[in-house]
Amino acid sequence: MRALITGAAGFVGRYLVKFLLQQRYTVLAACHGRLPDDPALAGAILQQADVTEKESLCRLIAEFSPDEIYHLAGIAVTTGEDREGYYRVNFCGTLNLFEAVREAAPRARVLYVGSAAAYGAVPPERQPITEEQHLAPLNHYAASKAAADLAACAYAARGLHIVRVRPFNHTGPGQTTDYVCSRLARQVAEVALGRADPVITAGNLDAARDFTDVRDVVRAYWLLVQRGRPGEAYNVCSARAYTVREIANFLAEIAGVEITLRSTIELQRKTDIPLLLGSAAKMCRETGWTPQIPFRQTLADLLVWWRERLSS
């Protein structure tokens, strides 16, 4: 089997490359900009690609002739102010990919990776969130992902085999400090190494999110390509939410340190969602997937990764 991964050099992309290579795929890892010298991509075919350039995508897909395409490329940081960039890359870039698939590989199975942020602020009484919940994004990142999600539905209706996935928060070793679990893990690791005072800063300490280990997430993506129904949307989540306060305390407990938690205005978002909790019932029912890695294990692995990185 031949698989094309866009955004392969990103956090999830690196794990997906490794997973598919273990399944004995031939993997084309499409990366934006300069090709990375990254051991995580060893064994894959590296190719420069820009999703905003449709013609180059067409050539890439026509030459490689993939059986499966995993579309991970996009601007993933949710707090940015580059409104035009979100739509140019996340929405128009996705349209370019779908058009390239339609022209060069109409039989390929495609996974469009959206975001649970597209659901917006759902009242607690309507959570866990199912795929039937309407999309009501609160920022331009979420709106760009929601727009591409709906476009995927339209292309699937015209005959392309596109499955839509709406992942909730995910984390694991290797994630940048743009994301809360990794940012907290780094701070706790610095305290454990004696390099920082035991004061941990974060935004809204009571914001609660549904977290899944990235290694479970890439397995879910693969199963969706094999078993997901074209045009359908699927949540990937753990169906359990944790507050920022709980995450920080878990990390401190694992590291064996005492900490003081402080909320800072600089890290608080203008449109923060109090609770984002998903239902994975449809995903589990139709693909057989269930998350296997407990959240505390994910945090322990993330903490070890940061301690090793800071020590070296």
Side-chain angles (χ1 to χ4, degrees):
M1 295 290 285
R2 300 168 68 80
L4 165 64
I5 303 173
T6 69
F11 170 55
V12 179
R14 298 196 307 275
Y15 278 94
L16 183 57
V17 167
K18 180 179 178 181
F19 178 86
L20 293 180
L21 289 173
Q22 290 173 340
Q23 311 307 312
R24 308 185 70 84
Y25 275 67
T26 298
V27 178
L28 176 59
C31 309
H32 178 69
R34 185 177 178 180
L35 294 179
D37 182 16
D38 189 341
L41 302 179
I45 303 165
L46 298 185
Q47 179 69 51
Q48 189 177 42
D50 186 340
V51 296
T52 65
E53 298 177 358
K54 178 193 164 188
E55 296 306 318
S56 65
L57 277 178
C58 278
R59 288 193 299 271
L60 179 67
I61 291 173
E63 292 171 4
F64 184 63
S65 188
D67 301 295
E68 300 173 2
I69 299 173
Y70 298 79
H71 182 43
L72 277 61
I75 300 176
V77 177
T78 64
T79 56
E81 296 298 328
D82 182 10
R83 293 184 291 273
E84 187 273 336
Y86 281 131
Y87 297 106
R88 177 171 51 83
V89 177
N90 293 354
F91 177 58
C92 294
T94 299
L95 294 186
N96 287 340
L97 177 77
F98 293 158
E99 280 295 308
V101 171
R102 185 181 64 82
E103 294 178 18
R107 294 182 178 274
R109 295 188 170 212
V110 181
L111 183 72
Y112 166 69
V113 180
S115 173
Y119 289 122
V122 179
E125 62 271 17
R126 286 158 59 185
Q127 299 198 44
I129 300 167
T130 68
E131 293 82 356
E132 284 70 40
Q133 176 66 38
H134 68 271
L135 305 183
L138 296 182
N139 58 43
H140 291 288
Y141 162 77
S144 67
K145 299 298 280 187
D149 187 304
L150 296 176
C153 189
Y155 274 92
R158 297 295 297 273
L160 292 185
H161 192 292
I162 301 175
V163 176
R164 300 175 289 154
V165 61
R166 296 170 185 161
F168 283 65
N169 294 62
H170 39 280
T171 190
Q175 192 173 43
T176 72
T177 54
D178 290 322
Y179 303 91
V180 65
C181 288
S182 194
R183 185 172 65 249
L184 292 172
R186 174 170 181 155
Q187 291 184 74
V188 171
E190 288 174 335
V191 173
L193 291 169
R195 297 184 181 180
D197 293 333
V199 178
I200 305 301
T201 58
N204 180 1
L205 301 179
D206 297 315
R209 296 291 182 270
D210 185 325
F211 286 94
T212 307
D213 191 289
V214 64
R215 292 160 288 193
D216 280 329
V217 169
V218 297
R219 184 168 52 85
Y221 288 0
W222 178 72
L223 283 170
L224 281 171
V225 172
Q226 314 313 309
R227 303 175 186 175
R229 289 180 286 144
E232 288 292 312
Y234 297 85
N235 291 337
V236 168
C237 56
S238 68
R240 173 72 188 273
Y242 297 90
T243 66
V244 173
R245 190 187 308 277
E246 288 176 311
I247 295 167
N249 287 330
F250 284 159
L251 286 164
E253 180 182 333
I254 294 167
V257 297
E258 293 186 1
I259 61 171
T260 299
L261 269 175
R262 290 181 182 168
S263 176
T264 64
I265 294 177
E266 293 79 10
L267 293 173
Q268 293 182 10
R269 300 182 180 182
K270 296 178 181 178
T271 55
D272 197 20
I273 297 173
L275 173 66
L276 196 61
L277 173 65
S279 168
K282 180 179 179 181
M283 176 73 193
C284 298
R285 181 176 66 250
E286 297 193 17
T287 71
W289 176 86
T290 55
Q292 296 179 346
I293 303 173
F295 185 51
R296 287 179 67 96
Q297 183 62 53
T298 303
L299 293 179
D301 293 347
L302 181 55
L303 190 61
V304 167
W305 184 83
W306 269 117
R307 291 189 65 153
E308 292 175 349
R309 186 177 179 85
L310 292 169
S311 296
S312 63

